[in-house]
Amino acid sequence: MVSGLVATIDHRSGNKERLLLWIRLLRASRMIESELRERLKRDFNSTLPRFDVMAALFRAPEGMLMSDLSRFLLVSNGNVTGIVDRLVSDGFVSRARRDGDRRTSIVTLTEQGREEFQRMARVHEDWIGDLLGDVDEADAKRLSTMLKSFRSNWEGET
Amino acid sequence: MVSGLVATIDHRSGNKERLLLWIRLLRASRMIESELRERLKRDFNSTLPRFDVMAALFRAPEGMLMSDLSRFLLVSNGNVTGIVDRLVSDGFVSRARRDGDRRTSIVTLTEQGREEFQRMARVHEDWIGDLLGDVDEADAKRLSTMLKSFRSNWEGET
DNA sequence: GCGAAATATTTCAACCTTGAAATTTCATGC
DNA sequence: GCATGAAATTTCAAGGTTGAAATATTTCGC
């Protein structure tokens, strides 16, 4: 639950549309997240954060540092620690000490992790297609572009 | 952290744009949320969920049932219980038994709660204006409309 | 009236999340 | 070499979140 699900007080003029946009943006992503969470649990006994970590690692066969994961996924360090811990104990992920710098550890998907992720990823894409099915491709592209641009102005990333 | 922050496998053609849209939607709302969370903590020692509950109650001077709050804010019952508990112990919210149905309790903002919320709401709107400042009003309106429509097709609500 | 189903809420375990403090290791200046 | 600060990670407390089970109350059929 997140700030802005509710329209509030409207004491300045120009921000009305932006406030409404924020509310809708939020409600939309909350509903999609909620649906994805439910399906991941039902079909794979997993969660969204686990899926995200596995997706990041899938794209990086050489592995990632904990801090890479944290930065890439936009979450805190401590958060990543817990999620990776659980993935390790399930056998989907492994931590390896690096020689050269003993502070860091390289995190990679295990073979089992790669297989499981691919099973999930196939279905996941269909789910998104399903849930966003009413947005036609042109709209998706425009919306996408807007979101990309407005974001990058106060945070320098893609 | 949420499913889709990472582009995954692209085995079907049509969903490519939608998947990208979803990723950007998510990253955008995550960044805004994160910024709002930080500011609410810093300036009001509060949180987003607390703000949302107070906003909902502000619009309903006659009060709301726990289940109304839950439905309106799109979160679970048990979740609302905890947040309201903490707001009550801070003196911002009160629970009142209803005669007629002893299962339910009416939740309202206290006077102190109303004042505190209004303080927050004023600044909150400016923050949104700030964070979404790069979206001009016309774009905001279009984006808003898209978000509204694509959502309502698999969930019946505004 | 009474028992069964329905409704409103709370409780609970498990997980997610943050931000700050603690830990371990490395790099740098001297 | 060695102290000092920087960097990577973990730990921890507090709060948020869900879904399922437990409680309490009402409603309804009979």
Side-chain angles (χ1 to χ4, degrees), chain B residues 60-132:
Chain B
E62 72 291 353
M64 294 176 82
L65 300 184
M66 294 299 283
S67 41
D68 292 338
L69 277 171
S70 166
R71 191 166 31 252
F72 184 65
L73 298 174
L74 305 177
V75 300
S76 67
N77 273 339
N79 190 353
V80 175
T81 298
I83 296 163
V84 167
D85 281 350
R86 286 180 282 272
L87 285 172
V88 167
S89 75
D90 286 347
F92 292 142
V93 153
S94 78
R95 278 188 176 91
R97 286 269 161 234
R98 267 202 315 180
D99 24 53
D101 190 336
R102 274 171 306 188
R103 290 170 303 184
T104 65
S105 54
I106 286 277
V107 181
T108 51
L109 278 186
T110 62
E111 186 47 36
Q112 189 193 350
R114 294 187 71 78
E115 283 165 11
E116 181 69 359
F117 172 71
Q118 285 174 94
R119 283 207 316 136
M120 292 193 288
R122 269 189 288 277
V123 186
H124 175 263
E125 182 171 335
D126 292 342
W127 288 342
I128 298 300
D130 199 32
L131 295 172
L132 302 200

Side-chain angles (χ1 to χ4, degrees), chain A residues 128-141:
Chain A
I128 298 298
D130 199 30
L131 295 172
L132 303 199
D134 300 322
V135 186
D136 68 45
E137 228 166 298
D139 278 354
K141 210 167 288 189

Side-chain angles (χ1 to χ4, degrees), chain B residues 19 37 47 96 101 111 136 139 146 148:
Chain B
L19 197 47
R37 189 190 309 116
T47 67
D101 190 336
E111 186 47 36
D136 67 44
D139 277 355
M146 282 188 218
K148 178 178 177 142

Side-chain angles (χ1 to χ4, degrees), chain A residues 3 13 30-31 49:
Chain A
S3 179
S13 61
R30 291 190 65 71
M31 289 200 219

Side-chain angles (χ1 to χ4, degrees), chain A residues 107-124:
Chain A
V107 182
T108 50
L109 277 186
T110 62
E111 186 46 37
Q112 188 192 351
R114 295 188 68 78
E115 284 166 10
E116 182 68 0
F117 172 71
Q118 286 175 94
R119 286 208 311 135
M120 290 193 288
R122 270 189 288 280
V123 186
H124 175 263

Side-chain angles (χ1 to χ4, degrees), chain A residues 1-4 6 9 18 31 33 48 52 59 124-125 131-132 134-135 142-143 151 153-154, chain B residues 1-4 6 9 18 31 33 48 52 59 83 124-125 131-132 134-135 142-143 151 153-154:
Chain A
M1 180 169 45
V2 157
S3 179
V6 178
I9 300 179
R18 295 191 186 97
M31 289 200 219
E33 279 183 44
L48 297 169
D52 282 341
R59 297 164 22 116
H124 175 263
E125 181 172 335
L131 295 172
L132 303 199
D134 300 322
V135 186
R142 277 196 307 161
L143 230 171
R151 183 166 39 67
N153 287 52
W154 48 278
Chain B
M1 183 169 40
V2 154
S3 180
V6 179
I9 301 178
R18 295 190 185 97
M31 290 201 220
E33 280 184 43
L48 297 169
D52 281 341
R59 298 164 21 114
I83 296 163
H124 175 263
E125 182 171 335
L131 295 172
L132 302 200
D134 301 323
V135 186
R142 276 195 309 162
L143 232 169
R151 183 166 39 68
N153 287 51
W154 49 276

Side-chain angles (χ1 to χ4, degrees), chain A:
Chain A
M1 180 169 45
V2 157
S3 179
L5 279 185
V6 178
T8 58
I9 300 179
D10 186 23
H11 65 104
R12 270 188 191 49
S13 61
N15 294 335
K16 204 173 158 191
E17 288 303 333
R18 295 191 186 97
L19 197 48
L20 184 56
L21 169 58
W22 170 234
I23 293 166
R24 291 202 174 139
L25 199 63
L26 208 43
R27 289 187 86 93
S29 44
R30 291 190 65 71
M31 289 200 219
I32 294 171
E33 279 183 44
S34 162
E35 190 66 26
L36 289 179
R37 188 190 310 119
E38 208 171 298
R39 294 183 187 190
L40 273 179
K41 178 71 179 175
R42 167 169 50 92
D43 294 351
F44 299 99
N45 191 36
S46 191
T47 67
L48 297 169
R50 289 165 62 104
F51 181 82
D52 282 341
V53 167
M54 292 174 81
L57 293 177
F58 186 82
R59 297 164 22 116
E62 72 290 352
M64 295 176 81
L65 302 183
M66 293 299 281
S67 41
D68 291 339
L69 277 172
S70 166
R71 194 167 24 254
F72 184 67
L73 297 175
L74 305 177
V75 301
S76 67
N77 274 339
N79 189 356
V80 176
T81 298
I83 296 163
V84 167
D85 282 350
R86 286 180 283 272
L87 285 172
V88 167
S89 74
D90 286 347
F92 293 140
V93 153
S94 79
R95 278 188 176 92
R97 286 267 162 237
R98 268 202 313 180
D99 23 56
D101 191 336
R102 273 174 303 188
R103 292 171 300 183
T104 65
S105 54
I106 285 278
V107 182
T108 50
L109 277 186
T110 62
E111 186 46 37
Q112 188 192 351
R114 295 188 68 78
E115 284 166 10
E116 182 68 0
F117 172 71
Q118 286 175 94
R119 286 208 311 135
M120 290 193 288
R122 270 189 288 280
V123 186
H124 175 263
E125 181 172 335
D126 292 343
W127 288 342
I128 298 298
D130 199 30
L131 295 172
L132 303 199
D134 300 322
V135 186
D136 68 45
E137 228 166 298
D139 278 354
K141 210 167 288 189
R142 277 196 307 161
L143 230 171
S144 218
T145 303
M146 282 191 220
L147 286 172
K148 178 179 177 142
S149 72
F150 96 65
R151 183 166 39 67
S152 56
N153 287 52
W154 48 278
E155 239 274 347
E157 209 181 335
T158 307

